[in-house]
Amino acid sequence: DAGVTQSPTHLIKTRGQHVTLRCSPISGHKSVSWYQQVLGQGPQFIFQYYEKEERGRGNFPDRFSARQFPNYSSELNVNALLLGDSALYLCASSTDLGDFEKLFFGSGTQLSVL
Amino acid sequence: GQQLNQSPQSMFIQEGEDVSMNCTSSSIFNTWLWYKQDPGEGPVLLIALYKAGELTSNGRLTAQFGITRKDSFLNISASIPSDVGIYFCAGHSSSNTGKLIFGQGTTLQVKP
């Protein structure tokens, strides 16, 4: 079975642009979470969606938004990119909200903002 | 953003040695998790702890959920070269459904 897939794997943008990152969860998983991992740090929680509804939001500005589609895939959008948005963006899927033993991470999208 | 205090930041050890790392928080957690992340990959779950005082093993790995619910440690016995990577602790409290708070990571290097 395929794991959590994210696209693209790498992306280069310039300040002020916007970006859309995509995530396909493991088949049967209804929850998708997004994390930002700055180089040398642990992942920081951005959003969690379950059954297409937002169920959690981290301490990120309104430039960050996300949504989950009927097939449970998800998009993370970031507007007005800043240099500090450069990071590895991780998507994780799970069967349920708090089922951490069935929470799996994708390999991430490496975003560079120049 | 909020992060757990994880130490040490890095370790360079000889193959066969035991390793210990720990994580502390100012907040109480109901779940403690330990992950390993290899370059170019997402974190992979090693051990999950759900009860204060719980001691759980997974092969050469042993982790404990602190009695105060504000700390956890991970031990790796008889390290081997494939243990190289970055280890993260993560905590979850029921008031933040699904949200994990991660530590800064411990980078482990093993010399054959």
Side-chain angles (χ1 to χ4, degrees):
Chain A
D1 287 340
V4 178
T5 57
Q6 294 187 242
S7 63
T9 55
H10 296 82
L11 199 54
I12 299 176
K13 292 285 189 178
T14 57
R15 283 177 296 174
Q17 287 188 313
H18 78 274
V19 67
T20 298
L21 310 181
R22 296 178 175 83
C23 173
S24 293
I26 293 172
S27 177
H29 284 195
K30 299 180 179 179
S31 176
V32 169
S33 300
W34 287 95
Y35 286 81
Q36 180 196 65
Q37 187 175 21
V38 174
L39 187 65
Q41 298 292 322
Q44 293 276 335
F45 176 80
I46 310 176
F47 286 109
Q48 182 178 35
Y49 278 78
Y50 179 72
E51 288 280 15
K52 300 174 292 260
E53 291 188 1
E54 182 182 305
R55 302 300 295 268
R57 184 183 184 113
N59 188 25
F60 280 81
D62 291 343
R63 298 185 296 108
F64 289 77
S65 63
R67 56 180 175 170
Q68 187 176 32
F69 299 99
N71 66 353
Y72 303 111
S73 67
S74 178
E75 284 183 353
L76 175 69
N77 294 284
V78 187
N79 293 324
L81 285 167
L82 303 174
L83 296 178
D85 295 330
S86 297
L88 179 68
Y89 288 84
L90 294 163
C91 174
S93 77
S94 62
T95 53
D96 206 340
L97 289 171
D99 192 354
F100 299 108
E101 297 199 29
K102 292 188 175 70
L103 177 72
F104 297 95
F105 284 85
S107 297
T109 293
Q110 184 66 55
L111 173 65
S112 297
V113 182
L114 306 178
Chain B
Q2 182 183 2
Q3 284 199 323
L4 303 175
N5 296 314
Q6 187 173 347
S7 64
Q9 185 175 357
S10 63
M11 303 181 75
F12 190 91
I13 62 170
Q14 197 79 27
E15 182 177 0
E17 290 183 346
D18 296 343
V19 171
S20 184
M21 59 192 77
N22 67 80
C23 217
T24 60
S25 169
S26 58
S27 304
I28 290 174
F29 288 111
N30 294 321
T31 302
W32 280 95
L33 306 163
W34 284 91
Y35 287 88
K36 183 186 180 208
Q37 186 174 26
D38 292 327
E41 301 293 332
V44 174
L45 181 67
L46 299 173
I47 291 181
L49 302 157
Y50 298 102
K51 187 177 177 181
E54 178 182 357
L55 185 71
T56 297
S57 293
N58 178 10
R60 294 178 296 106
L61 278 60
T62 301
Q64 185 159 27
F65 192 141
I67 290 177
T68 65
R69 294 164 63 193
K70 292 183 178 182
D71 63 312
S72 178
F73 72 75
L74 174 71
N75 287 340
I76 304 173
S77 62
S79 59
I80 59 178
S82 62
D83 290 335
V84 166
I86 305 177
Y87 292 79
F88 291 98
C89 60
H92 174 260
S93 58
S94 59
S95 61
N96 295 299
T97 306
K99 173 182 178 180
L100 292 177
I101 307 296
F102 281 83
Q104 305 100 316
T106 295
T107 300
L108 178 63
Q109 295 178 288
V110 179
K111 183 178 181 181

